Amino acid sequence: MLAVHTSGHVNWSIISKVENYLYDLRLLMTMEQSIDNKIIIIDIDEKSLANEGQWPWPRDKLAQLINRLFDDYQIRSIGFDAVFAEAQANNSLNTLSYLFKKGLFDETQYQNLRLELDHDQRFSEALIARDAVLGIVFKHSIYDQQTNGELPAPLASLEILNEVKNDLYYGTGYAANLAILQQASGFGGFFDYIRDDETLRKVPLIQYYNNQIYPSLAFELARISLNQPAIEFQLSGNQQSTLRSLEFIKLGDYKIPVDQTGSVYVPFRGKQGSFTYISATDVLNQALPIDALSGKIALLGTSASGLLDLRATPVGKSYIGVEVHANIVSAILEQRFKHAPGYRLGIELFSLFILAMLMSFIFPFLQSIGAAVFIISLTSVYCALNLYFWHWQNMIFTLATPLFFIFISGFLHLNYNFFVEQKKKRRLSKVFSQYIPHELVTDFDSNQAEMSLAGENRIMSVLFTDVRNFTNMSEKMTPTELTVLMNEFLTPITHCIHQQQGTIDKYMGDAVMAFWGAPINDEQHASHAISAALNIIIQMDKLTRAFKAKNWPEIKVGIGIASGEMSVGNMGSEFRIAYTVMGDTVNLGSRLEGITKMYGVDIIVSENTKILASEFIYRTVDKVKVKGKDLPVTIFEPLGLFEQLNETTLANLAAYEAALQLYWQSEFAAALEQFETLNSTSPCLLFTIYIERCALYRITPPALPWDGSFTHTSK
């Protein structure tokens, strides 16, 4: 789309406005900011109007001004930023004619007096044999084809530019000077501007009317100041080309680059005041040193605000119009024009293609900071190249379109990547939420909570849960019923784990492995693990009642929890990896789950877990040596929070702990008595186990030294 705009098939006003702004910015940055002493402006200023009267001045005063400039101050040439289309109203001539008819004068006296009083004649005589260029104005509306005055001699016939004439500006009518003045001067140039924008940036050097080519005021003034060298029009391409356009106008050895309309970019050398202004009244009154204007090229214009000869330009919003002509004359003599070459379109389209390749094949693979640096670097490089051609090669290439492309392309890429990343993020969150609670995933997404999937050692808690007698249950059910059954009990187990911010490690048939403390740090991992385990037992009790209504088997689970250091991270092979935990603590958790059925309890936790989650009330289960462990570990059953237990339970717990201490002190008879008392009031498998052990050890005491532990030989 930007290429279509660049080629001129469509015009996007926003890009054109930015391009104009960047053109003005480059111009202001690189102007010479100097005064050209070769060209002066004879200024009809406020001082001149006050001393000489309001404009337009009588033609005899203008004749006096011309004579002063050429005879006394020896200027080289002058151009008039004005048109004298009508004869000056002169009541003196009417009076003279009346008196002549009355016979008061003879013919000779009448003619002499008439010549004395005819100001147009005196002005024309002052122009004879002087290098003076009169101004003309062309009209450009088909509704205004009036002509007035006499046109100067044309530069050339339109035939020499016949193949490009459709690109040139042309007049439908004109306002020219009195024949007597134009014939006396012999030179003329238009000073009307044809603009597509409110700000004056380009002016035409030539226009045609009635198949004749006419010069601008500035062009003609420069031409006669150079002693009227030969004029040559150069077109782009060769004669066989079908897309030729005007590219240069040559004045002898001076070459002026123009666009296809014959226009030039106004080469402002600085802000207003880049040329010396001389008050016209000072010239008339000879108030200047006699050699002050010698050999100068002069332009007659006005800076008086009441005469409204002001223009909006890149270097000033109220720029004096005559100084525009002065800038063009100066640039022709100094060969100081910016040029938009005919091959510019090809270079600009090629630049867009290169930028497209860079933005397509490099930018999308960069991260955020790299992408920002890339855009800034690409913009800087392109602007630097553009400024190089502008300042050192005097070539104008568009800047807005490539910058629009870089920023729009970057914006679209970033937004596309954003939405793609968001889509991936949502998909990853959905998958991850199957293992980590959705609340934790949301918290990580929104608050960037600390999270790591890298391998490391951490103090964590691991939980194993398994359904008891699941093999026997599964043998009595169809595959469909078994699938429904597993979903029925695995879903609440998972929900309980997620409620306590746990991470599902894996499902192993009817078993579930979960851990706390990774990938998101959890300082209360042990407490959360126990809370999840207690809630699982409650949910399984509810589920059992629902299963009875379906004639399904009772669900009983055993849960083992261990806390301590373990390795966590992405582990596996080059073909498949999994985010999991490993280590002795993990193995201990698995062993603890396996021995829950031996003690008839639902949950067994390690001593480290009890220490880390001290807010719970525990019942000491045993000192054991599990398979794979040489040192005994004390294991506990969490009963709940203190406020959740009644006084009877707490009393029985105290009695049990006292009996267990007697057992560990090898006082088996006393311990046996207390265990039997407890079992009679609250029978359970755990009491029965210690009753049997005490009875056995009374007869066959354990070998000394005895640490009170029991060795389990199975998982």
Side-chain angles (χ1 to χ4, degrees):
M1 291 188 292
L2 292 173
V4 171
H5 170 84
T6 300
S7 63
H9 290 86
V10 296
N11 181 39
W12 290 352
S13 60
I14 181 64
I15 300 180
S16 298
K17 288 180 180 178
V18 174
E19 185 63 54
N20 288 336
Y21 171 78
L22 294 174
Y23 173 90
D24 297 348
L25 183 63
R26 284 174 286 176
L27 181 65
L28 291 169
M29 289 171 56
T30 58
M31 290 189 305
E32 290 187 8
Q33 298 285 6
S34 61
I35 295 178
D36 187 348
N37 293 316
K38 300 186 299 296
I39 300 170
I40 60 170
I41 295 175
I42 307 301
D43 188 14
I44 304 172
D45 55 3
E46 301 289 353
K47 176 183 175 182
S48 297
L49 295 179
N51 292 341
E52 308 297 336
Q54 295 300 311
W55 182 264
W57 289 342
R59 302 284 164 78
D60 61 332
K61 190 180 291 290
L62 292 175
Q64 181 186 2
L65 180 65
I66 293 299
N67 290 328
R68 286 271 190 269
L69 288 169
F70 280 96
D71 294 339
D72 297 334
Y73 289 106
Q74 299 293 310
I75 66 169
R76 183 177 183 181
S77 56
I78 188 170
F80 288 86
D81 187 19
V83 60
F84 307 103
E86 299 175 350
Q88 179 179 320
N90 194 332
N91 293 329
S92 298
L93 287 176
N94 294 334
T95 303
L96 179 64
S97 178
Y98 174 78
L99 295 175
F100 174 69
K101 290 178 182 179
K102 292 294 185 179
L104 296 180
F105 304 107
D106 59 24
E107 180 70 23
T108 302
Q109 290 175 319
Y110 171 71
Q111 292 298 334
N112 290 335
L113 288 172
R114 182 178 179 81
L115 289 174
E116 183 69 23
L117 296 175
D118 189 349
H119 296 169
D120 285 332
Q121 179 67 32
R122 292 185 64 185
F123 186 29
S124 68
E125 290 175 354
L127 295 173
I128 294 174
R130 302 277 174 71
D131 287 341
V133 182
L134 300 180
I136 60 175
V137 174
F138 281 114
K139 302 173 182 179
H140 302 94
S141 172
I142 59 173
Y143 304 106
D144 188 3
Q145 301 183 17
Q146 290 185 337
T147 61
N148 191 17
E150 182 175 311
L151 288 173
L155 279 181
S157 171
L158 186 61
E159 290 182 2
I160 63 175
L161 294 177
N162 190 56
E163 57 184 313
V164 297
K165 70 176 184 178
N166 292 332
D167 295 330
L168 303 178
Y169 293 116
Y170 63 93
T172 57
Y174 61 83
N177 297 279
L178 291 171
I180 188 175
L181 301 178
Q182 187 60 70
Q183 290 170 10
S185 169
F187 305 110
F190 62 85
F191 57 81
D192 51 280
Y193 301 136
I194 304 168
R195 289 178 285 166
D196 298 325
D197 191 81
E198 294 180 357
T199 302
L200 183 67
R201 297 181 179 87
K202 290 200 300 184
V203 296
L205 286 189
I206 58 172
Q207 294 187 63
Y208 72 88
Y209 175 80
N210 198 21
N211 292 321
Q212 300 294 325
I213 300 173
Y214 293 92
S216 71
L217 174 65
F219 181 82
E220 186 68 354
L221 182 58
R223 188 176 74 88
I224 67 170
S225 299
L226 293 172
N227 298 320
Q228 304 179 50
I231 299 174
E232 180 183 350
F233 298 97
Q234 291 186 355
L235 305 183
S236 63
N238 52 49
Q239 294 184 349
Q240 287 73 35
S241 175
T242 58
L243 297 175
R244 304 187 75 190
S245 63
L246 183 60
E247 192 167 15
F248 293 99
I249 300 177
K250 292 188 68 177
L251 284 177
D253 295 331
Y254 292 82
K255 195 172 185 180
I256 308 169
V258 295
D259 66 7
Q260 70 273 15
T261 67
S263 300
V264 294
Y265 289 90
V266 181
F268 296 98
R269 66 184 304 120
K271 294 187 177 181
Q272 187 170 293
S274 297
F275 301 89
T276 302
Y277 281 73
I278 305 294
S279 180
T281 188
D282 290 341
V283 175
L284 288 168
N285 296 306
Q286 295 182 291
L288 303 170
I290 197 66
D291 59 348
L293 309 181
S294 178
K296 308 289 187 184
I297 300 172
L299 278 156
L300 178 68
T302 178
S303 65
S305 57
L307 299 182
L308 302 177
D309 188 25
L310 301 176
R311 304 286 185 270
T313 68
V315 296
K317 296 302 181 184
S318 298
Y319 194 83
I320 297 174
V322 68
E323 197 165 335
V324 174
H325 306 306
N327 275 288
I328 295 174
V329 175
S330 174
I332 291 175
L333 299 180
E334 295 177 357
Q335 292 290 273
R336 184 176 43 80
F337 281 99
K338 303 294 182 190
H339 179 34
Y343 51 82
R344 179 177 73 167
L345 176 60
I347 291 179
E348 290 172 350
L349 292 177
F350 180 72
S351 299
L352 282 177
F353 174 76
I354 295 299
L355 291 174
M357 294 299 100
L358 294 173
M359 293 299 293
S360 297
F361 296 107
I362 296 179
F363 184 80
F365 301 100
L366 301 175
Q367 299 299 321
S368 299
I369 297 179
V373 171
F374 182 78
I375 286 182
I376 294 173
S377 300
L378 193 60
T379 302
S380 301
V381 169
Y382 192 89
C383 288
L385 286 173
N386 188 281
L387 196 60
Y388 166 79
F389 282 104
W390 167 282
H391 188 59
W392 280 277
Q393 301 298 325
N394 286 322
M395 290 184 178
I396 302 173
F397 293 106
T398 58
L399 187 55
T401 306
L403 294 184
F404 264 89
F405 177 81
I406 292 172
F407 293 132
I408 292 175
S409 179
F411 176 79
L412 293 176
H413 272 302
L414 290 174
N415 277 273
Y416 174 78
N417 290 340
F418 173 78
F419 287 114
V420 169
E421 288 301 321
Q422 285 295 311
K423 184 177 180 181
K424 291 179 179 178
K425 195 175 182 180
R426 287 193 297 270
R427 185 168 65 244
L428 180 61
S429 296
K430 184 177 180 180
V431 174
F432 215 38
S433 293
Q434 298 176 7
Y435 301 92
I436 297 178
H438 179 71
E439 293 79 11
L440 289 184
V441 177
T442 303
D443 182 62
F444 173 73
D445 288 343
S446 58
N447 301 324
Q448 294 297 300
E450 185 178 353
M451 181 176 183
S452 174
L453 298 180
E456 58 182 311
N457 289 337
R458 286 191 186 182
I459 303 296
M460 300 168 54
S461 294
V462 64
L463 175 149
F464 287 86
T465 177
D466 191 18
V467 177
R468 295 172 183 168
N469 299 318
F470 182 76
T471 303
N472 294 334
M473 290 165 44
S474 62
E475 291 174 351
K476 300 174 183 178
M477 304 180 73
T478 66
T480 301
E481 290 176 330
L482 184 60
T483 300
V484 174
L485 175 69
M486 290 183 64
N487 289 337
E488 288 284 344
F489 69 77
L490 288 177
T491 297
I493 290 174
T494 302
H495 184 65
C496 291
I497 293 171
H498 282 180
Q499 271 188 326
Q500 297 299 323
Q501 303 178 8
T503 300
I504 300 293
D505 185 298
K506 60 177 70 72
Y507 296 98
M508 301 168 287
D510 61 311
V512 179
M513 174 183 172
F515 52 84
W516 281 258
I520 297 177
N521 286 324
D522 184 0
E523 298 295 332
Q524 296 179 302
H525 53 85
S527 298
H528 288 150
I530 292 176
S531 296
L534 292 171
N535 199 17
I536 289 172
I537 300 302
I538 294 172
Q539 296 302 317
M540 292 302 101
D541 289 342
K542 293 179 180 178
L543 201 60
T544 295
R545 291 193 291 272
F547 280 8
K548 285 183 179 180
K550 299 179 182 181
N551 293 320
W552 283 3
E554 180 183 11
I555 296 294
K556 286 291 184 180
V557 298
I559 301 174
I561 302 174
S563 301
E565 187 177 64
M566 57 190 81
S567 296
V568 60
N570 285 314
M571 303 176 190
S573 68
E574 61 179 299
F575 303 103
R576 183 175 181 179
I577 61 173
Y579 188 70
T580 187
V581 290
M582 298 179 65
D584 288 343
T585 302
V586 179
N587 296 333
L588 175 60
S590 176
R591 302 294 186 270
L592 295 181
E593 179 276 318
I595 62 175
T596 53
K597 56 181 176 290
M598 300 178 184
Y599 292 96
V601 296
D602 296 322
I603 307 169
I604 292 180
V605 303
S606 69
E607 187 172 6
N608 281 343
T609 305
K610 174 182 177 294
I611 294 171
L612 292 171
S614 58
E615 68 271 26
F616 292 95
I617 301 299
Y618 299 88
R619 178 167 65 179
T620 308
V621 176
D622 201 356
K623 286 183 181 179
V624 298
K625 292 181 180 178
V626 297
K627 186 174 182 180
K629 289 283 187 180
D630 295 328
L631 297 176
V633 293
T634 305
I635 58 177
F636 303 86
E637 177 192 12
L639 301 179
L641 296 171
F642 181 82
E643 58 270 17
Q644 295 174 336
L645 304 179
N646 56 43
E647 293 183 0
T648 302
T649 302
L650 293 174
N652 287 339
L653 178 61
Y656 167 77
E657 293 291 342
L660 191 60
Q661 289 298 321
L662 293 172
Y663 169 76
W664 282 339
Q665 294 169 7
S666 301
E667 297 181 13
F668 301 117
L672 176 60
E673 182 180 351
Q674 291 200 28
F675 281 127
E676 287 177 338
T677 301
L678 288 169
N679 195 46
S680 63
T681 56
S682 302
C684 71
L685 179 59
L686 183 60
F687 298 156
T688 303
I689 290 173
Y690 280 106
I691 290 172
E692 292 177 352
R693 287 186 188 177
C694 289
L696 176 63
Y697 289 155
R698 285 179 64 189
I699 300 171
T700 309
L704 297 177
W706 182 58
D707 56 11
S709 65
F710 180 82
T711 301
H712 286 277
T713 58
S714 64
K715 295 183 181 180

